[in-house]
Amino acid sequence: MIAEPNSVVNLPNHKENGIHEEIVPEPTAQNGNCLRNGSVKTIKGKRKIREQCENRRRNSSSSRRSNQPQNGDVVEAVTLFEVVSMGKRAMQSVVDDWVEAYKKDRDVALLDLINFFIQCSGSQGMVTAEMFQSLQNCDVMQKMTETFDEETGLQYKKFMAYPWILTVTWPVDMDNEDYPLVKPGSYWKKFRANFCEFNAVLIQQCQCSILSDSYLMDTIISMLTGLADSMVRAFRHTSTLAAMKLLTALVNLNLSLDASKRNLERLYEVEKSRTTGKRTNSRLDQLEKKRKEYEQKPLEIENMMNAIFKGIFLQRYRDIIPEIRAICIEEMGSWMKIYPNTFLNDSYLKYIGWMLYDKQPEVRLKCLQGLQGIYDQKELVSKMDLFTSRFKDRIMSMTLDKDHEVAVQAMKLLMLMSQNCEDSLSSEDCETLYQFVYTTHRPLAVAAGELLYKRLIVQEIDMEAFSKRNGKLETIASQLKTLIIFFLESELHSHVTYLVDSLWDWSMNLLKDWEGMTALLLENADDQKEALSDAQESALTEIILATVREAAEGHPPVGRGGAKKILSTKEKKVQVEDSIKITEHFTVVLPQLLAKYSEDAEKLTNLLQIPQYFYLDLYGTGPLEKHLDALLREVKAIVMDHSNMDVLEACSRLYYILCNEELPIYNKVALARTELVNELVNQLNQLLGSFLSECSHPSTKSSTSQGEGLCAEEEGIHCIYSTLRRITAFHNAHDLSRWDLYDKMSELLVFEMEHSCLPVQIILPALQCAYFALLWQLASVGKKPSSKENLFVLKTHLRHYCHVCSCCFSHSHRDVRETAFMVLCDFLMIVSHQDTSDDGTLGLLEYLPSETLQSKMLLFIQDHIFTEEEDKAKDLAEEEDRNQDGQKLDILHMKRCLLAAYCKLIIHNVIEMTAAAEIYKHYMKSYNDFGDIIKETLSRTRHNDKIQSAKTLILCLQQLFQRHVESQDGGSTDTSSASFNHIKELARRFSLTFGWDQVKTRESIAMIHKEGIEFAFQGAAGMEGKCLPPNLNFLMILSEFSNKLLKPDKRLVYSYLLRYVPDPALSRADSWHSLGWYRTSLLASEEEDSAASSLNEWAPVSVAKTPFKRKFSEGSLHKSSNTERTNRTSDIHYSAHLPSLAPRSRKRLKSHNSCLQEYSPLLTSANLKRKNSCQVAIKVEEIPSEDADVDVVGADQET
């Protein structure tokens, strides 16, 4: 059997840039190529012609058939489209078969080729042709267009493919824009490649036979030009791609003809020099004839190229479809690179320059990639002077393109321009581009690193000028100095890891030359006139640390490159080799560097971090053991001499890394650490003893000895301060519990509480050291069992430490207050979440802050975070001209840290959630500084407990409202004042945080309305409507949450409101406008208003009456007994057992009374009742669920 052509999905009708695109559908019948004279006027005639030419078309394709058994049947590829799409045969053989068919019957073969292009466009429509025989019918050219026949429902495309007029017909009732070139999947991707290859091979195989027959190419170019001018996207896209590939093949053909012509010229000259005899003359005649042929062929090919360029490229390079524009620009770039003699001039370059401004990134990308192929060849750059001067600024700006790939390719293009085009980039341009090495997008940074390395760092130094220094060439030192100078001038010292990572792929040999780097640091300044300055040495230590980290870890720094990549086996091998190289080199050199820079804290901090990247298994083996002793001596000397916290923490971390029990050097390092801590503790005991005795019993000194006493006292304070910082730094990473440091710190802090005479330098490390001591005791209790006596002692220490921190909240120095609060927050978080041990003893340590401590912490937040911000706003505004932006940012950062630490306690239920109400008050005023923290706190607390979170929100608004009322004269509420509008806006912002899922937030919103109504009528009991409730205007604020209620919940909230409304005549007065405002927000629609009137609108309900209890029994709602009636006050609690609103089980309440809407059970508490309650039949419709049923009636509450 013969397989029919594959169906191809078609395009929908839509407009693109004002062009109406027609549909390219799939007909019910198979394709037919019909050659006929005259036009096709009827559907019947078209079908007849189609059937007549079907056999002829298939017979012409018999040479291409390939039999493939499949499920017992023989599947044959009939059409060119099937052969090319299947890709089972070599494209050259496919084209050869078609050429043979063309030689036999060129009309049928050519129509088969035309049908191939139509099918590649996604159309399965019918293609017919009529001969253009009459030159007098020139008006045909003007009538060729795309039309729609309403009678047949077919779309027509008529266009000239000289000497034919082709007509493509297809239906228009399809709605799919997929066609082969844009379809996803590997099959269609392969088809696109085969389609492009077919066009290239077609030109290649026809070049010696039928290419110049003045028939084939004229028809193909005319046909493609007609399709490219179509309003149908698929036609334009497919024909443009085919035409551009044909033009590329013609360019390659012309290039090969030029080469053949040059070879023929040389051969002709050789033969001409042998002009003896007839044989030679006949040879010359043959060569002369070939010369004329080669002179004629390029002219014909250029005519074809011009026809395609002018007829298709000039129309489609600015097509509305970006894929079509990208095709044109991509192929033009290849033409300029392949055949620069013709295309590399300003007449063609302008098109690429213009498309650099295209709105689509893929088009801009093709422009840059095409230009890269040109600027990569030095012999072509000479023709680019005008283009470079005209479009250089645009290319420079494209490094900031929003599309990352475009920015990367722009940087690579500028790199080629700087290499091959002299003076194309000025020094200012280069300085701008160098800064991209600090960008977070790694490919762009690496491209900028290539420019930096090749343009600035690499210098051409005469090999004869090289001189040996410590076994290294002078060029290494010169390059390192250049890199250091660039790093210092960029003034981005914290980004050295980004700089190293950007250069890593290009200058790996330079950056891994740790011997050369350390040689620069260790060289004597007297020996070299060009020795490094102090700033350059500091920068070099940072670079060394960054290169060591990059080599040892093998992945980009944090913030660049996303997730850590998985290293291959080869990369892991290189990583291990680099680690071994680092260990072997720095084990010897590091003690020397530490000794040289023992007084420089910045350099020591960098150098002391290098051992964490050592391959520690090499330590303690062979000759490296003696260098370990030298390292420990230098580190101990640094600890005893320095008080800088960064240096001390680096030393502490170094001991922590080396004190690994699995290492062979553990015993030696642990012994050195013990000796060091013993010495520090003994020194601290001596200093504290003498200092505390002097403070407790101050002696009278003569006036002559007062100056010496002050100096001695200051020196003693400095010694205590330094020793405390050293011990604190080590206690952070090491367990020093056996030295009982908490008792010493506690004694020091208690002394400060009693006398308030200790300097800040001593209080701060004492607080931190005591904190670390307690944490280590907690950790030890969790690891091994302890007696209850020890646990009670530890719990006493915990409470005592919290008390000490709370006392520090009132200290006069800001640093002490902030440190005490931050440490206390972290400490409470750890203590309150201790895991209970198997025997239950560890649970004795659980500690939650008392109400007094919570109130102190809340007062600290109010005074230190929000109040100070308002009080000092003017002072900070006056200091803006004093260059204190950095200081203000530091203060703001500390405030954010303090607020975040406190909010974390609220989120984890260490502090009561109601404390968050004080923070929520500042949500709007401090939104720019703390809005994200407050919003996250609100979200987390709502996730933990929806009801309590809602109560906290309404409590915040109630407190603000009461403050507003108290600030008004006479206790009245001015609803037009700025403070009231601020509260109302804050309520609106709170309501926005609930999102759009009303079912999810149903319980929270209901609770807000319940609490708000009770607060609004608070204090109205006994007034009997004679005067307004004092908080009635709070209903206007509460109305901001009405839009978050479901419709049945609005009716239920409204019924709850009626309980508190007094006589309806009074409630309609102007003074009750807040009540009307709130009522309108609940009953906004006319339908609900009419329903409300049927419920005895504004029914008189006494506030003193007790609510009723809703019960579902036999479909009726019973009245509550009179014994259940009690006085209603504002402190009546809402039922804690709210119905579950999860999708697993819901209940729908449907009233048989037409005047009642669906009621929600959310506010059905035991106290809900109206004065004149009536019995209403309720139908309960249950949705079956696999889970347990949910009680829709609130639990009874006793009052």
Side-chain angles (χ1 to χ4, degrees):
M1 63 179 283
I2 300 178
E4 299 296 340
N6 295 334
S7 62
V8 182
V9 189
N10 311 297
L11 290 173
N13 290 331
H14 65 285
K15 289 187 177 181
E16 294 176 344
N17 199 18
I19 297 177
H20 181 73
E21 290 202 352
E22 308 300 341
I23 296 179
V24 184
E26 173 184 347
T28 57
Q30 292 299 326
N31 295 20
N33 297 332
C34 300
L35 183 62
R36 57 164 295 186
N37 296 330
S39 59
V40 180
K41 295 183 179 180
T42 64
I43 298 298
K44 184 177 181 180
K46 294 175 183 177
R47 185 179 297 110
K48 182 177 180 180
I49 294 172
R50 187 174 180 181
E51 293 174 355
Q52 289 175 352
C53 59
E54 184 69 23
N55 292 332
R56 186 174 183 184
R57 179 180 58 81
R58 290 181 176 175
N59 291 334
S60 66
S61 304
S62 59
S63 59
R64 295 192 308 270
R65 295 179 182 180
S66 58
N67 297 333
Q68 296 180 356
Q70 184 176 1
N71 297 329
D73 296 333
V74 178
V75 179
E76 299 181 0
V78 175
T79 64
L80 268 176
F81 175 78
E82 289 179 327
V83 175
V84 173
S85 60
M86 289 180 181
K88 299 294 185 179
R89 299 175 56 189
M91 207 57 59
Q92 184 173 349
S93 63
V94 175
V95 173
D96 290 340
D97 291 345
W98 181 87
V99 171
E100 292 180 4
Y102 180 86
K103 292 178 180 179
K104 294 179 181 179
D105 190 338
R106 66 180 186 179
D107 292 336
V108 174
L110 197 53
L111 282 177
D112 200 10
L113 181 63
I114 293 173
N115 189 68
F116 165 73
F117 287 112
I118 298 298
Q119 283 188 292
C120 290
S121 301
S123 173
Q124 291 286 340
M126 183 172 63
V127 181
T128 61
E130 53 184 306
M131 295 300 296
F132 182 69
Q133 298 175 346
S134 177
L135 297 177
Q136 299 177 356
N137 296 332
C138 297
D139 58 339
V140 174
M141 299 295 297
Q142 301 176 359
K143 297 180 180 179
M144 291 182 183
T145 181
E146 297 179 18
T147 59
F148 172 67
D149 191 341
E150 296 181 356
E151 296 181 359
T152 60
L154 296 177
Q155 186 75 22
Y156 288 90
K157 164 92 178 150
K158 178 182 286 189
F159 58 94
M160 173 67 71
Y162 190 83
W164 298 330
I165 299 176
L166 298 178
T167 302
V168 183
T169 309
W170 66 94
V172 294
D173 55 351
M174 297 295 178
D175 188 16
N176 197 321
E177 64 179 10
D178 283 345
Y179 52 95
L181 292 185
V182 297
K183 281 186 176 181
S186 58
Y187 178 83
W188 296 109
K189 184 177 180 181
K190 183 180 179 181
F191 167 78
R192 180 189 174 98
N194 293 338
F195 178 74
C196 297
E197 183 183 359
F198 175 82
N199 288 278
V201 175
L202 180 64
I203 299 297
Q204 181 181 358
Q205 296 302 108
C206 296
Q207 61 177 322
C208 299
S209 56
I210 60 177
L211 185 64
S212 302
D213 64 352
S214 300
Y215 189 81
L216 172 64
M217 291 305 298
D218 292 348
T219 305
I220 292 178
I221 293 174
S222 299
M223 182 267 301
L224 293 178
T225 303
L227 291 178
D229 194 37
S230 172
M231 291 182 291
V232 182
R233 170 178 176 172
F235 283 160
R236 298 201 314 275
H237 192 178
T238 307
S239 60
T240 302
L241 177 60
M244 296 302 102
K245 293 300 180 181
L246 288 176
L247 182 51
T248 303
L250 290 174
V251 169
N252 288 321
L253 177 58
N254 212 1
L255 186 63
S256 62
L257 288 177
D258 288 344
S260 300
K261 185 178 179 181
R262 289 192 298 270
N263 294 333
L264 185 60
E265 290 287 349
R266 289 194 298 267
L267 183 58
Y268 180 80
E269 295 297 332
V270 172
E271 291 294 334
K272 190 177 181 179
S273 63
R274 303 176 183 176
T275 55
T276 57
K278 295 182 180 181
R279 185 176 181 181
T280 305
N281 291 333
S282 61
R283 179 63 173 168
L284 280 176
D285 294 339
Q286 294 177 1
L287 294 177
E288 183 67 25
K289 185 178 180 180
K290 287 186 178 180
R291 282 179 59 186
K292 292 180 180 180
E293 292 178 359
Y294 279 118
E295 289 177 357
Q296 184 65 24
K297 280 187 178 180
L299 295 178
E300 297 176 355
I301 294 176
E302 288 181 3
N303 291 333
M304 299 176 192
M305 293 164 53
N306 290 333
I308 295 176
F309 184 83
K310 294 178 181 180
I312 299 177
F313 179 89
L314 292 182
Q315 304 301 322
R316 300 277 66 85
Y317 85 95
R318 50 186 178 180
D319 193 280
I320 188 174
I321 305 300
E323 291 88 347
I324 298 177
R325 302 198 300 271
I327 289 172
C328 296
I329 297 302
E330 180 181 12
E331 295 303 319
M332 170 162 278
S334 64
W335 305 336
M336 293 178 177
K337 183 178 179 181
I338 296 172
Y339 202 41
N341 295 334
T342 300
F343 289 98
L344 191 56
N345 55 61
D346 298 332
S347 298
Y348 293 97
L349 283 169
K350 64 183 180 182
Y351 299 110
I352 292 183
W354 293 341
M355 301 311 291
L356 288 173
Y357 296 89
D358 195 275
K359 294 182 179 180
Q360 296 298 323
E362 58 182 306
V363 181
R364 301 195 298 271
L365 184 63
K366 295 300 181 182
C367 294
L368 294 172
Q369 291 174 343
L371 291 173
Q372 288 175 11
I374 300 172
Y375 280 99
D376 192 28
Q377 302 180 24
K378 289 186 177 181
E379 60 274 10
L380 302 180
V381 174
S382 59
K383 300 181 180 181
M384 303 290 292
D385 294 339
L386 182 60
F387 180 88
T388 302
S389 61
R390 172 64 179 83
F391 295 102
K392 184 195 71 173
D393 294 339
R394 171 57 184 163
I395 298 173
M396 288 280 297
S397 66
M398 293 176 75
T399 55
L400 298 172
D401 198 281
K402 62 180 180 180
D403 186 83
H404 289 315
E405 186 61 26
V406 173
V408 172
Q409 298 303 324
M411 184 65 70
K412 292 181 178 179
L413 176 59
L414 291 168
M415 172 63 205
L416 295 174
M417 293 171 61
S418 67
Q419 278 185 331
N420 301 326
C421 189
E422 296 181 0
D423 301 331
S424 60
L425 298 180
S426 63
S427 58
E428 293 79 8
D429 295 335
C430 292
E431 290 296 332
T432 302
L433 297 176
Y434 292 159
Q435 300 304 316
F436 281 93
V437 296
Y438 298 108
T439 186
T440 56
H441 185 59
R442 191 174 189 274
L444 180 58
V446 171
E450 181 185 8
L451 178 64
L452 173 64
Y453 178 70
K454 295 182 179 180
R455 179 69 183 252
L456 182 65
I457 298 178
V458 175
Q459 301 175 1
E460 295 184 0
I461 303 176
D462 188 3
M463 294 300 296
E464 297 178 358
F466 285 173
S467 61
K468 292 282 185 176
R469 184 184 62 187
N470 296 331
K472 290 293 181 181
L473 293 176
E474 185 70 25
T475 182
I476 300 297
S478 177
Q479 292 178 1
L480 287 173
K481 290 179 180 179
T482 304
L483 177 61
I484 293 170
I485 293 173
F486 168 78
F487 175 54
L488 293 175
E489 290 178 351
S490 61
E491 298 180 354
L492 292 171
H493 288 228
S494 58
H495 296 74
V496 63
T497 54
Y498 279 16
L499 173 61
V500 170
D501 182 61
S502 301
L503 295 170
W504 193 255
D505 294 342
W506 307 106
S507 57
M508 189 177 296
N509 293 332
L510 174 65
L511 297 177
K512 287 186 179 181
D513 188 12
W514 296 296
E515 296 180 0
M517 296 181 186
T518 53
L520 282 177
L521 291 176
L522 292 174
E523 69 181 2
N524 192 348
D526 297 335
D527 299 339
Q528 298 291 335
K529 296 181 180 180
E530 298 180 357
L532 298 178
S533 63
D534 182 69
Q536 291 175 343
E537 290 178 341
S538 299
L540 183 55
T541 57
E542 293 184 52
I543 293 174
I544 291 175
L545 176 61
T547 55
V548 168
R549 187 208 65 82
E550 186 88 13
E553 295 183 354
H555 59 78
V558 177
R560 176 185 285 181
K564 295 182 179 179
K565 66 176 183 179
I566 300 177
L567 300 180
S568 62
T569 304
K570 182 179 179 180
E571 290 174 337
K572 290 180 179 179
K573 181 180 179 181
V574 173
Q575 183 181 3
V576 173
E577 292 176 353
D578 289 339
S579 297
I580 294 175
K581 181 180 177 181
I582 291 170
T583 305
E584 292 176 346
H585 176 70
F586 282 98
T587 300
V588 179
V589 176
L590 187 58
Q592 304 175 26
L593 294 173
L594 295 177
K596 180 177 180 180
Y597 299 108
S598 59
E599 303 297 329
D600 194 320
E602 182 180 0
K603 298 183 182 67
L604 288 177
T605 303
N606 294 323
L607 294 173
L608 288 169
Q609 297 180 54
I610 295 177
Q612 63 181 305
Y613 304 107
F614 281 0
Y615 193 75
L616 295 177
D617 292 339
L618 295 179
Y619 249 143
T621 58
L624 297 181
E625 186 174 0
K626 61 179 181 180
H627 299 291
L628 174 63
D629 297 334
L631 178 63
L632 294 176
R633 287 195 303 269
E634 294 297 335
V635 173
K636 180 179 180 181
I638 292 171
V639 172
M640 302 304 296
D641 293 341
H642 283 268
S643 60
N644 183 277
M645 207 60 188
D646 293 335
V647 176
L648 295 176
E649 288 179 352
C651 293
S652 176
R653 181 169 179 80
L654 176 60
Y655 275 103
Y656 175 79
I657 293 171
L658 299 180
C659 284
N660 189 344
E661 297 181 358
E662 298 179 357
L663 297 177
I665 59 174
Y666 169 74
N667 294 330
K668 179 180 293 186
V669 179
L671 179 61
R673 180 187 59 181
T674 303
E675 294 176 354
L676 176 60
V677 175
N678 274 329
E679 187 174 347
L680 291 175
V681 172
N682 294 333
Q683 183 180 358
L684 179 64
N685 292 333
Q686 296 176 2
L687 293 172
L688 285 180
S690 59
F691 178 77
L692 294 178
S693 61
E694 291 179 1
C695 293
S696 301
H697 307 285
S699 58
T700 58
K701 298 181 181 179
S702 61
S703 59
T704 57
S705 61
Q706 285 182 355
E708 297 178 359
L710 289 174
C711 294
E713 182 178 356
E714 292 178 357
E715 184 178 355
I717 292 174
H718 178 72
C719 292
I720 297 175
Y721 159 74
S722 301
T723 306
L724 272 176
R725 286 173 70 90
R726 293 166 189 149
I727 294 177
T728 301
F730 271 79
H731 212 347
N732 186 11
H734 305 272
D735 186 6
L736 309 181
S737 300
R738 60 175 176 173
W739 282 277
D740 296 330
L741 292 174
Y742 178 78
D743 295 337
K744 299 179 178 60
M745 299 302 106
S746 177
E747 179 183 359
L748 194 61
L749 295 173
V750 170
F751 183 85
E752 164 61 18
M753 293 171 57
E754 295 175 352
H755 298 85
S756 301
C757 61
L758 291 181
V760 177
Q761 296 92 329
I762 295 179
I763 299 175
L764 293 178
L767 279 172
Q768 294 175 345
C769 188
Y771 169 67
F772 293 142
L774 289 177
L775 291 185
W776 280 110
Q777 292 181 31
L778 285 173
S780 62
V781 168
K783 292 180 180 179
K784 56 183 179 180
S786 301
S787 62
K788 292 187 176 181
E789 291 77 8
N790 293 335
L791 292 177
F792 280 118
V793 172
L794 179 56
K795 189 169 185 178
T796 304
H797 289 169
L798 301 180
R799 295 179 178 273
H800 178 262
Y801 183 72
C802 292
H803 175 68
V804 170
C805 291
S806 63
C807 292
C808 293
F809 291 169
S810 59
H811 198 274
S812 58
H813 201 278
R814 183 188 186 97
D815 291 341
V816 175
R817 299 195 302 267
E818 292 176 348
T819 302
F821 185 83
M822 186 66 71
V823 169
L824 179 59
C825 289
D826 294 342
F827 187 70
L828 289 175
M829 179 62 66
I830 295 173
V831 173
S832 60
H833 288 77
Q834 288 293 318
D835 295 331
T836 304
S837 58
D838 296 337
D839 55 358
T841 56
L842 194 57
L844 298 174
L845 297 177
E846 293 183 358
Y847 174 69
L848 293 175
S850 61
E851 294 183 359
T852 304
L853 181 57
Q854 292 187 37
S855 62
K856 287 183 178 180
M857 297 180 71
L858 181 58
L859 184 62
F860 176 86
I861 288 293
Q862 292 174 333
D863 296 340
H864 202 73
I865 305 299
F866 300 110
T867 306
E868 286 188 0
E869 173 134 355
E870 298 174 358
D871 296 342
K872 296 185 178 181
K874 297 181 179 179
D875 297 338
L876 292 176
E878 294 175 357
E879 295 176 354
E880 287 183 356
D881 298 335
R882 303 179 184 178
N883 194 20
Q884 294 193 0
D885 292 339
Q887 182 180 359
K888 290 190 294 184
L889 288 176
D890 292 340
I891 295 175
L892 177 61
H893 176 69
M894 177 53 67
K895 288 183 176 182
R896 286 176 57 85
C897 292
L898 294 173
L899 180 61
Y902 183 75
C903 291
K904 188 165 60 175
L905 296 178
I906 298 175
I907 292 172
H908 294 279
N909 298 322
V910 180
I911 292 179
E912 294 182 1
M913 193 181 297
T914 54
E918 292 295 332
I919 298 176
Y920 295 160
K921 294 177 183 178
H922 305 274
Y923 180 65
M924 289 181 58
K925 292 182 179 179
S926 304
Y927 186 81
N928 292 334
D929 294 336
F930 311 111
D932 55 337
I933 299 176
I934 299 176
K935 186 183 295 185
E936 184 66 17
T937 303
L938 198 155
S939 176
R940 294 288 188 91
T941 53
R942 184 176 298 158
H943 181 268
N944 295 338
D945 191 340
K946 293 186 291 186
I947 300 302
Q948 188 60 35
S949 176
K951 289 183 177 180
T952 304
L953 282 182
I954 200 67
L955 176 63
C956 169
L957 297 174
Q958 291 171 1
Q959 292 176 353
L960 288 175
F961 181 81
Q962 289 177 340
R963 184 186 303 175
H964 168 72
V965 172
E966 294 172 358
S967 64
Q968 300 294 318
D969 296 335
S972 60
T973 305
D974 183 8
T975 58
S976 62
S977 62
S979 60
F980 184 85
N981 290 329
H982 171 76
I983 302 173
K984 198 168 181 293
E985 177 63 19
L986 181 61
R988 188 186 71 84
R989 299 284 288 273
F990 283 161
S991 69
L992 293 177
T993 61
F994 286 95
W996 295 100
D997 192 349
Q998 293 178 318
V999 175
K1000 184 179 180 180
T1001 61
R1002 192 178 184 188
E1003 297 178 1
S1004 301
I1005 297 297
M1007 174 58 68
I1008 288 177
H1009 282 275
K1010 176 183 177 298
E1011 295 287 333
I1013 293 172
E1014 294 175 359
F1015 175 76
F1017 290 95
Q1018 184 178 357
M1023 293 184 181
E1024 297 181 356
K1026 296 180 180 179
C1027 60
L1028 292 175
N1031 301 330
L1032 183 65
N1033 287 332
F1034 187 77
L1035 292 177
M1036 295 184 66
I1037 299 174
L1038 191 61
S1039 65
E1040 296 294 336
F1041 296 92
S1042 297
N1043 63 338
K1044 297 297 180 181
L1045 284 169
L1046 295 171
K1047 286 186 178 180
D1049 295 346
K1050 288 183 179 180
R1051 298 289 301 124
L1052 188 55
V1053 170
Y1054 175 69
S1055 65
Y1056 190 71
L1057 175 67
L1058 293 180
R1059 297 184 50 258
Y1060 294 91
V1061 178
D1063 185 71
L1066 291 176
S1067 63
R1068 292 191 181 95
D1070 294 339
S1071 57
W1072 291 78
H1073 71 281
S1074 298
L1075 181 61
W1077 184 293
Y1078 183 56
R1079 173 182 172 276
T1080 303
S1081 68
L1082 293 175
L1083 307 175
S1085 64
E1086 296 180 358
E1087 179 182 358
E1088 290 182 338
D1089 275 335
S1090 62
S1093 62
S1094 65
L1095 283 174
N1096 297 328
E1097 182 180 27
W1098 302 111
V1101 180
S1102 174
V1103 178
K1105 297 297 181 178
T1106 59
F1108 65 87
K1109 175 182 177 183
R1110 293 181 64 187
K1111 294 183 179 180
F1112 294 93
S1113 176
E1114 297 179 357
S1116 62
L1117 182 65
H1118 294 278
K1119 295 181 180 179
S1120 60
S1121 63
N1122 294 331
T1123 58
E1124 293 178 352
R1125 299 180 180 178
T1126 57
N1127 290 332
R1128 174 81 177 187
T1129 59
S1130 61
D1131 58 349
I1132 293 179
H1133 295 288
Y1134 178 62
S1135 174
H1137 302 285
L1138 293 174
S1140 174
L1141 298 177
R1144 61 180 182 175
S1145 178
R1146 283 187 292 176
K1147 299 180 184 292
R1148 299 173 184 167
L1149 306 181
K1150 295 186 177 179
S1151 174
H1152 293 293
N1153 193 338
S1154 61
C1155 65
L1156 287 179
Q1157 304 295 327
E1158 284 189 344
Y1159 276 73
S1160 169
L1162 285 175
L1163 294 178
T1164 314
S1165 74
N1167 300 318
L1168 188 62
K1169 180 179 179 181
R1170 282 194 291 155
K1171 180 179 180 181
N1172 298 323
S1173 60
C1174 59
Q1175 294 183 357
V1176 182
I1178 303 294
K1179 179 182 178 181
V1180 181
E1181 176 185 352
E1182 294 193 13
I1183 299 177
S1185 171
E1186 296 178 0
D1187 298 319
D1189 291 336
V1190 180
D1191 186 10
V1192 297
V1193 182
D1196 295 344
Q1197 291 183 352
E1198 298 296 332
T1199 57

